[in-house]
Amino acid sequence: MKGPRLRLGARVGRRLVLVVFCLLWAAPSGAGHELPFYPSYYPQEIRLEALPPAAAAPLLRSAKLHAYVGGDPFAGGRVPADIKPLESLGGYLVVSFNSASPVAASRESRCEAARRIARSLGAAPGLYVPHPYPVTPYHMDYLEHFDLAQFARQAYAAAPSGSSATLRVQAKGPLAERLVKAQAKSARDWDATVEDIDAEGLLATHGLSLDGWLGPPWLKDGWFHAYLLEAPGPARQAVEALYRRLVTGAFDSPIARIELERQLVSRLTAGCERVVLGYSVRREYFNAEFSQGVENIAWDSQTGFNSAIFLRTVKLKDFPWNGWLRLGMTSRPAAAWNPIAGFSDPAGRLLWAAVGDPALIPAPYGSGWVANRVTLVAVSRPPTSEVEVPEDALVPEPGTGLLRDAGKGKSARARLTYRLVASAFHDSTRMTPADAAYAYSFAYRWSGRAGDPVVEAATAPLRQALVGFRLVKVDAEVRTYSDNTFTYVVPVIDVYVTGGALEAESLAALAPPWSALPWPVMVLMEEAVKRGVAAFSPGEARRRGVPWLDLARDPKTKAALAALVDTLAAQAYIPPALKRLVTADEAQTRWAALKTFYTRRGHFLVTNGPYALDKWSDREVVVTAFRDFTNPNGVGTYDRFAIPRRAFVSRLTARGDRLEIAPEIERAERFLREYRIVREPLGKPVSDEDRADVPVCRYVIVGADGGVADAGLSREREGARLVVNLRGRLKPGAYTALVALALRDNWVNPEVAVAQFRVDAAP
């Protein structure tokens, strides 16, 4: 019964795909007017071109370039009125010490030296912010660390302002070289090194482009960045224990989680082995000229324009949709183009953001995730017991990736129910549950001794969390736009995970069922690696003396891949893990489609993303819109993130049993193609549309001992005030309330309000 049930699901999926194909193309043709819905996003073509800043500046001025990704083409100079900046976290400035120097002999001497160096640094207004704490205002968890960050700032401000001339300080990186006034003359004799740490580079080995996953749930959290930045020295064992508890959900409440995060960062910073002195701000520019510029822009708080959200919102002003978007990049594509362990340089990440379509995308102005191609619709997690895993759920076998039945007696901490949108791939085949299943299989097969270390590290959180998965059914979802009806294929998959007390949003991002690639492309890459044609990662390529696998640009590799496709197509090859999920006819169709795609396109980078790779050279890449009506995401899907607005606490009143907040909010006043932001008090709502303009309040209550006594989120409103009800939640004593507000999930650079209060004992 188990095998036939899975095959039945596949047959249902195939019938629904046929229904979708007929309905989607019949309905629009009969409408007789412009369609109300356009899949893919605004530009019909995006050209990515590597340009030095000096060459990009005049092109931006003339609107021959619409935006410049990754740097400031004006080098801090005068910027034309039509050119607008956006800011995101650039990186960190850190100081570390030479273990052979007397300065490194004790914690006290290291900390004192770090404070002296911080006070002696030069200025870089707008580019560098002194901030001696690793969690910054560009992290959503900044509120949870605000009091600790303030203590650190006060300690540095109180330090003697004497020169660091007696310290021999090296500088690494352009910002460090600008800020360190007197550098060590000898490369051998030095006490400390001040260094730029690029934020994207810091996360390069933890963020990933592996098929449909972009990284662990905590990828954008400040505590995680602190863990990667700091060198804890003797505290390593305690730090690792705290880290394991955080990533496995070994805590009993969100309050306990926040306390663990604070303890982790405190342990990391206590010894001053490596000290964060501040952070840098990345400033990127776009042309906003009235007719030739771009608008409707969203960006990521930590990666800026180099993000999925930017490419899914940016719109040319003269085109309601379509148009030709031209973007400049600071560097040429260098990393190999493979979706397993490639696309790892800035140019590659931008390209993958266009052609790939992950399960979830990072929340642009927070630290969570936004549903993209999968949606979590239900979480089952009993408070004191486990969830039973059905016998016919599938479990990938470590080392082989074979999908085994779970059998009797297996349990998990939670069951997550996802709905997937199974749209078309660029080779005109349709996604089925087998594609998502094979992504899980791949993660297990290529980890361990016989696999690739990069794949093993990247998939570790997924493999540690996944207990099993099960195809529940394949739905047909109907959506109506104006007088047009579209029907979509929606597999429903239950995923069983560990994860302790992790919140639902984090659980959802641990192991979502999805694949951005058709399974034949994954098999093709595997066979190429197994047969010595190439390797997934650069490290393995060097170790084995083979090329880094590239699906598009290496002629020799492509010729070998084409020969492999011929061999696999002749066999109608089905990988062992999919024997129960794919028929011989399906396999033959899939391989034939891949052969045809390569013949027409000249590469093997087949995805189900919104853009398809069209042309490329050493300096530029062109992608074109894949306007596939089996994909419900398209023009306007993420417009809610354009023009992010903020909310502020104009007055905070803390009482023993409640917090009362008088908020002010930003509104966008539009006129023609322009807008301006105005700040005003929150008024009374007059319609349903105003509900999105009511801020959300996050709060942290810190006790006199420095521990977190309470924390949470409140949407409660009384007239023009927001209210946090604390009744019965706090013991008698003195407390500090930390409060921040957000509109539409914009938690970047909040103004944190602080209030002291007491809770008295009941009479």
Side-chain angles (χ1 to χ4, degrees):
M1 289 297 292
K2 298 165 188 171
R5 190 192 70 80
L6 290 166
R7 288 194 291 272
L8 174 62
R11 288 199 298 271
V12 171
R14 291 196 297 277
R15 288 199 298 270
L16 287 174
V17 166
L18 182 59
V19 170
V20 168
F21 184 84
C22 296
L23 289 177
L24 291 184
W25 295 105
S29 63
H33 52 73
E34 289 286 353
L35 286 172
F37 166 71
Y38 288 85
S40 188
Y41 299 98
Y42 288 101
Q44 69 191 39
E45 178 183 285
I46 303 175
R47 183 179 298 270
L48 314 174
E49 185 176 359
L51 293 166
L59 294 175
L60 263 177
R61 289 190 185 97
S62 62
K64 293 179 180 178
L65 196 68
H66 295 106
Y68 191 59
V69 181
D72 179 357
F74 301 102
R78 187 173 179 272
V79 179
D82 287 333
I83 307 299
K84 305 299 182 184
L86 293 174
E87 294 182 348
S88 55
L89 178 65
Y92 304 87
L93 193 74
V94 302
V95 59
S96 54
F97 298 96
N98 183 353
S99 59
S101 168
V103 173
S106 68
R107 172 193 175 278
E108 289 73 19
S109 62
R110 290 191 300 271
C111 294
E112 193 270 338
R115 288 191 286 267
R116 287 171 57 195
I117 292 170
R119 294 294 298 270
S120 71
L121 294 176
L127 296 178
Y128 171 69
V129 180
H131 184 80
Y133 194 81
V135 183
T136 77
Y138 289 92
H139 296 105
M140 186 173 172
D141 53 339
Y142 177 59
L143 175 69
E144 285 86 336
H145 295 261
F146 180 78
D147 58 322
L148 302 179
Q150 292 301 103
F151 291 151
R153 291 174 71 97
Q154 292 165 9
Y156 273 64
S161 57
S163 168
S164 65
T166 56
L167 294 172
R168 297 163 297 176
V169 181
Q170 295 185 127
K172 290 185 179 180
L175 179 61
E177 291 171 359
R178 177 174 175 176
L179 296 176
V180 176
K181 297 176 181 177
Q183 297 186 33
K185 297 180 180 179
S186 170
R188 294 184 178 181
D189 298 324
W190 56 279
D191 298 308
T193 298
V194 175
E195 180 181 4
D196 300 0
I197 302 292
D198 177 68
E200 281 193 80
L202 179 72
L203 298 174
T205 57
H206 296 271
L208 56 143
S209 61
L210 197 152
D211 196 6
W213 302 304
L214 292 182
W218 39 86
L219 184 67
K220 292 184 67 178
D221 285 342
W223 67 262
F224 181 58
H225 293 194
Y227 174 77
L228 300 179
L229 275 170
E230 302 283 354
R236 168 61 66 183
Q237 187 173 357
V239 164
E240 290 301 325
L242 290 168
Y243 177 75
R244 293 304 310 160
R245 290 183 64 186
L246 284 168
V247 300
T248 59
F251 44 82
D252 57 14
S253 69
I255 297 170
R257 171 184 55 76
I258 293 170
E259 183 62 30
L260 287 174
E261 292 169 1
R262 288 163 59 97
Q263 290 178 22
L264 175 75
V265 178
S266 295
R267 291 267 190 172
L268 286 166
T269 57
C272 294
E273 282 87 5
R274 194 183 200 191
V275 180
V276 173
L277 302 177
Y279 61 89
S280 60
V281 176
R282 179 193 300 107
R283 185 173 287 116
E284 297 169 299
Y285 289 89
F286 67 97
N287 187 302
E289 197 272 332
F290 186 82
S291 62
Q292 298 184 69
V294 292
E295 61 183 350
N296 200 60
I297 290 173
W299 68 100
D300 189 275
S301 60
Q302 296 177 13
T303 61
F305 286 160
N306 200 335
S307 58
I309 198 68
F310 172 63
L311 298 178
R312 284 158 175 76
T313 55
V314 62
K315 171 184 173 295
L316 288 92
K317 286 190 173 183
D318 266 355
F319 293 85
W321 54 87
N322 288 336
W324 296 264
L325 180 69
R326 187 177 179 188
L327 303 177
M329 306 179 293
T330 55
S331 58
R332 296 186 180 193
W337 291 353
N338 82 68
I340 302 303
F343 294 114
S344 53
D345 61 338
R349 286 191 287 271
L350 186 61
L351 175 58
W352 182 246
V355 301
D357 219 13
L360 311 164
I361 60 176
Y365 315 120
S367 62
W369 297 81
V370 176
N372 183 45
R373 299 302 300 273
V374 308
T375 302
L376 180 66
V377 294
V379 178
S380 177
R381 179 169 54 181
T384 59
S385 63
E386 297 274 295
V387 173
E388 182 180 353
V389 178
E391 293 181 38
D392 61 349
L394 298 178
V395 181
E397 182 178 77
T400 68
L402 293 174
L403 301 177
R404 306 292 191 186
D405 289 336
K408 295 182 178 180
K410 190 174 286 290
S411 63
R413 185 66 190 89
R415 180 181 68 241
L416 312 177
T417 301
Y418 295 88
R419 293 177 66 84
L420 291 64
V421 179
S423 64
F425 293 107
H426 297 165
D427 63 1
S428 298
T429 62
R430 295 296 193 266
M431 182 185 182
T432 70
D435 297 289
Y438 200 69
Y440 285 138
S441 172
F442 178 93
Y444 281 75
R445 185 163 47 260
W446 288 92
S447 301
R449 294 179 61 184
D452 188 302
V454 171
V455 176
E456 181 175 21
T459 61
L462 179 150
R463 290 180 288 105
Q464 291 162 5
L466 183 66
V467 178
F469 65 96
R470 178 176 179 267
L471 174 64
V472 178
K473 59 182 177 178
V474 179
D475 273 347
E477 183 176 296
V478 178
R479 298 189 189 183
T480 300
Y481 302 90
S482 184
D483 57 349
N484 294 277
T485 298
F486 297 84
T487 304
Y488 303 101
V489 177
V490 181
V492 179
I493 296 179
D494 281 344
V495 178
Y496 297 84
V497 297
T498 60
L502 288 173
E503 287 95 323
E505 185 177 57
S506 294
L507 286 175
L510 276 174
W514 181 249
S515 178
L517 309 172
W519 64 258
V521 171
M522 298 191 73
V523 170
L524 176 62
M525 290 189 290
E526 290 180 293
E527 291 299 315
V529 172
K530 286 192 290 187
R531 300 181 191 207
V533 173
F536 290 123
S537 67
E540 277 297 284
R542 288 191 297 270
R543 187 183 71 83
R544 296 169 56 187
V546 297
W548 188 3
L549 179 61
D550 194 304
L551 297 180
R553 294 178 298 172
D554 184 345
K556 186 175 180 180
T557 298
K558 286 194 296 182
L561 293 175
L564 277 174
V565 169
D566 288 340
T567 301
L568 297 169
Q571 303 170 10
Y573 180 75
I574 302 172
L578 296 184
K579 291 291 187 182
R580 291 193 293 176
L581 299 176
V582 175
T583 67
D585 287 345
E586 285 179 308
Q588 191 172 48
T589 299
R590 288 292 194 97
W591 287 114
L594 185 56
K595 286 182 63 175
T596 301
F597 179 88
Y598 175 66
T599 300
R600 295 176 58 187
R601 293 281 191 156
H603 65 83
F604 289 101
L605 187 55
V606 182
T607 75
N608 50 19
Y611 290 91
L613 177 62
D614 185 25
K615 294 176 285 191
W616 61 91
S617 69
D618 289 342
R619 283 188 51 193
E620 65 179 26
V621 185
V622 176
V623 297
T624 54
F626 182 54
R627 301 217 184 273
D628 164 41
F629 285 93
T630 66
N631 183 351
N633 288 349
V635 167
T637 297
Y638 296 108
D639 283 1
R640 66 189 185 276
F641 294 113
I643 315 179
R645 295 178 288 125
R646 302 173 66 196
F648 309 89
V649 178
S650 66
R651 186 176 66 256
L652 170 62
T653 304
R655 309 183 191 279
D657 60 351
R658 61 192 265 142
L659 304 176
E660 296 177 357
I661 302 104
E664 293 183 348
I665 63 171
E666 291 181 338
R667 297 189 190 276
E669 291 187 345
R670 297 178 181 270
F671 42 99
L672 299 177
R673 295 178 175 180
E674 308 297 332
Y675 70 91
R676 69 173 182 174
I677 298 295
V678 296
R679 177 170 166 172
E680 59 187 37
L682 177 67
K684 294 182 178 180
V686 295
S687 67
D688 290 343
E689 285 75 21
D690 292 323
R691 292 178 183 174
D693 287 335
V694 177
V696 174
C697 171
R698 283 176 57 228
Y699 65 93
V700 176
I701 309 297
V702 180
D705 61 354
V708 177
D710 196 12
L713 183 148
S714 176
R715 292 184 171 87
E716 186 176 348
R717 180 179 181 183
E718 293 181 358
R721 295 179 302 176
L722 301 178
V723 175
V724 176
N725 187 354
L726 300 174
R727 183 169 298 170
R729 299 179 64 88
L730 300 174
K731 297 177 181 179
Y735 295 94
T736 300
L738 311 175
V739 173
L741 305 180
L743 273 181
R744 300 174 186 253
D745 297 321
N746 179 14
W747 295 104
V748 177
N749 205 13
E751 287 190 2
V752 179
V754 181
Q756 313 286 336
F757 68 102
R758 289 193 60 84
V759 174
D760 296 324

